[in-house]
Each structure stands twice: as structure tokens, then as C-alpha cells.
Amino acid sequence: MQDKNRKTTTNPTSDSRSWTELVDAVRINPEVDAMADAMREEVWRSVHSRIRRQGRWMRIGRWAAAAVVMAGVVCGSWMLGGMRTERRLEASALPVSVSAPLGVKSAVVLPDGSYVQLNGGTRIVYPAIFGRERRVTVEGEAYFEVVHDERKPFVVTTGSIVSTVLGTTFNVHAYPEDDDCRITLASGALRVDGGPGSRSVVLMPGEQGFFNRRSGLLTLRTVNVEQELSWREDKLYFRGEPLESIVRTLERQFNVDIVISDQALCGVRFTGEFVDGENIHEIMRIISSDSRILYRNYRNHFELYRNR
């Protein structure tokens, strides 16, 4: 019969090896290991001094309790370390800049999986890693399909205009050389802030925030979304648009240079649709069907001049 009062001897080397194996099972990552190593040795010394005074079953219980304590410490350290690492990554992440040349459309997938299509002559800048918010900057025209994330608002900056969404599809037209900036909502909801001295508007599908850079006024209007997004399919719609603005659109679409030699023609307004794949020469012939306008060209250089 075994003596219940008999003291159990321990093997420090064996105990240390078992303890090491147990703690190694809760290692998280290299950043935490250094913290865990120092704490592990201190906890081990305390546990070993106690198991020398206790029986075998008590020793196992202490090991388990110590392992739980160590796991909590390591996991807590991992969470804090992870937060600090995420902030360091956000702070050190270099911005990514993508540009679409004139006459070319480009597609971009952002770090959160959101999809962006860039029109010709457009530039988008965004961080390689999104932080607490998803902020991008756009110069030109871009169509967005934003992944929904309530925790991280999606913010598009175009000059002084700031558009904030959670998950939606919309179009931004904000070329720096244009007099206006247009934000058109296709689906979801979108808040547009006109900046200092202006106002904010909340868009519903089919609405557009129209910002006049000269006056600084932001207005809300209803538009044909299909026509506003038609550039994605190489279709062009003009509704009473001045020739000067049409010329800029054609330059971006076809990567050509167009000069209006007579300033009196800049304000001439046109209404028309080019939806059948017309090339630049066909469009210029249609424009010159106006008796006031003639054109000539040399390679990719066009000149619009007054018919005397």
C-alpha cells in the first residue's frame, strides 16, 4: 500500500522541458516572443518553487493555471502589439498613385477590394494600407464600386469637395481644368461636402452634387445616371454643352490636341450623342456641320476656326 504522506520528488530538468513545451504552444508571433520569454522564466521559477512543496496532482494543476495566466499575458501582449504594429504599418505605408493616360481607361482594385475605373487623364492616390478610414484622392473622372464596411467610411477627396460613403456605386467628375465638379450617385447613399463656405448635401440614387468652382456653390440636381456613366462604354452625350467643354472631353477620350483658334466659338453650345463608336474624325465632321465652324487637322492635331 502506498504511503499517502510520501513526498514526491521532482526532476527540475524534466519539469522545465515540459513547461517550455506547454508555453511554446501559446506563442503568437516574433514580436511577442521577446516579451513572453522574460515573463515565462519568471513564472517558471515561481511555479517550480511551489511544485517542490506539493504533490504530483497539485503540480499538474499549477502548471495548467500558470499556462492559463501565461496565455492571457501573451494574448494581451499580442493584441497591444498588433494594434501598435497596425498603426506603424499605416503610418509608414507609402501612397500609391495610379494614372490613366489620355485616351485610355484603367481599372484599379483598392486595398479593401473596392473597384475603381479611371477615365483618360485621371489620377487616383490612395494608401497601400487603409486605416480607420478609407481615403482616396481623385483628379479627373472615376467610377467607384465601394465595398461596404460600416466601421471604415470611404472618403473621396477632389480638391475642396469631400464625398463620404459606406458602400455604394457613384461617379466622380473632377478634372482640375474644368469649372465644375460633379458627383453622381448610382446606388446607395452619399454625402457630399462642398468645403468651407459651401454646404453639404446627401445624394440619393439618380441625383448629382454639382459644384461650381468659380462661385463655390454646391447644388443638387436630378440627372440621367446612364448618360453620366456612359464614358465607361465609350459613349458621349452632350446636352447644351459649350464647345470649349466638349473639346476637353474629346481630348481626353481620344488623346488628341484640339485648338479653338477663335475665342468667340468657345461658348457655342451643342447637343448631340456619339454612341456608335464614332472616331474623332467623324465627330469633328459632325461638329463642323454647324455653318459657323470649320476644322482642319494634321495627324492628332485639330484646329477649329470660324467660317468667315
Side-chain angles (χ1 to χ4, degrees):
M1 183 176 237
Q2 295 181 349
D3 184 357
K4 294 183 180 180
N5 296 323
R6 184 178 59 188
K7 292 185 178 180
T8 303
T9 61
T10 64
N11 186 330
T13 301
S14 175
D15 290 343
S16 179
R17 184 171 57 254
S18 299
W19 170 251
T20 299
E21 293 172 352
L22 186 60
V23 173
D24 280 344
V26 297
R27 284 183 180 269
I28 305 299
N29 60 44
E31 292 193 7
V32 179
D33 286 347
M35 299 172 59
D37 287 342
M39 302 177 69
R40 180 184 61 186
E41 294 303 325
E42 179 63 28
V43 172
W44 160 242
R45 284 194 295 270
S46 175
V47 171
H48 181 63
S49 64
R50 295 184 182 185
I51 63 176
R52 294 180 61 185
R53 298 191 299 267
Q54 304 293 332
R56 179 178 180 183
W57 297 108
M58 182 62 72
R59 182 171 71 253
I60 295 175
R62 295 292 186 180
W63 284 356
V68 171
V69 172
M70 179 58 75
V73 171
V74 173
C75 289
S77 301
W78 173 76
M79 292 178 64
L80 293 175
M83 293 172 62
R84 288 195 294 268
T85 300
E86 182 180 2
R87 294 193 186 102
R88 286 198 301 271
L89 289 173
E90 293 169 12
S92 62
L94 296 176
V96 178
S97 177
V98 179
S99 297
L102 294 173
V104 178
K105 296 176 179 62
S106 301
V108 179
V109 178
L110 301 178
D112 66 335
S114 295
Y115 170 82
V116 186
Q117 185 176 7
L118 307 180
N119 202 353
T122 299
R123 178 172 177 260
I124 185 172
V125 180
Y126 57 91
I129 299 175
F130 283 135
R132 296 182 180 179
E133 68 175 8
R134 300 170 288 171
R135 181 177 291 270
V136 304
T137 301
V138 172
E139 288 184 0
E141 185 165 24
Y143 168 79
F144 289 84
E145 295 180 357
V146 179
V147 173
H148 184 79
D149 189 343
E150 293 183 354
R151 301 169 302 171
K152 296 183 177 182
F154 192 95
V155 181
V156 180
T157 302
T158 53
S160 63
I161 309 299
V162 178
S163 304
T164 305
V165 303
L166 293 177
T168 187
T169 56
F170 63 101
N171 193 75
V172 174
H173 181 103
Y175 288 98
E177 62 270 21
D178 288 352
D179 292 333
D180 59 72
C181 174
R182 306 193 298 268
I183 315 294
T184 305
L185 182 63
S187 66
L190 174 66
R191 185 179 72 249
V192 180
D193 185 353
S198 187
R199 64 170 181 151
S200 296
V201 296
V202 176
L203 304 183
M204 300 302 291
E207 293 182 336
Q208 181 182 87
F210 185 90
F211 180 78
N212 187 298
R213 288 193 172 102
R214 293 183 178 180
S215 66
L217 295 178
L218 175 63
T219 56
L220 181 65
R221 61 187 191 180
T222 301
V223 297
N224 185 318
V225 174
E226 182 180 356
Q227 293 183 6
E228 291 294 325
L229 303 181
S230 63
W231 63 267
R232 303 179 62 223
E233 300 175 347
D234 294 323
K235 297 179 180 180
L236 299 174
Y237 291 86
F238 301 113
R239 296 287 182 268
E241 195 162 341
L243 182 60
E244 184 179 30
S245 176
I246 292 174
V247 163
R248 286 196 295 266
T249 299
L250 295 177
E251 288 180 325
R252 298 164 189 153
Q253 180 78 7
F254 297 101
N255 190 22
V256 296
D257 294 323
I258 305 175
V259 176
I260 303 176
S261 59
D262 191 328
Q263 291 300 307
L265 297 177
C266 291
V268 176
R269 294 182 177 272
F270 285 87
T271 294
E273 300 178 0
F274 302 100
V275 298
D276 296 321
E278 294 87 348
N279 60 42
I280 184 60
H281 297 280
E282 293 171 322
I283 294 176
M284 294 300 284
R285 281 196 293 269
I286 293 173
I287 291 176
S288 64
S289 64
D290 185 302
S291 60
R292 295 167 291 181
I293 302 174
L294 295 175
Y295 87 96
R296 52 180 165 242
N297 76 285
Y298 176 72
R299 294 183 180 177
N300 286 334
H301 299 273
F302 294 82
E303 179 186 1
L304 294 170
Y305 59 98
R306 191 178 187 88
N307 186 11
R308 302 294 180 181

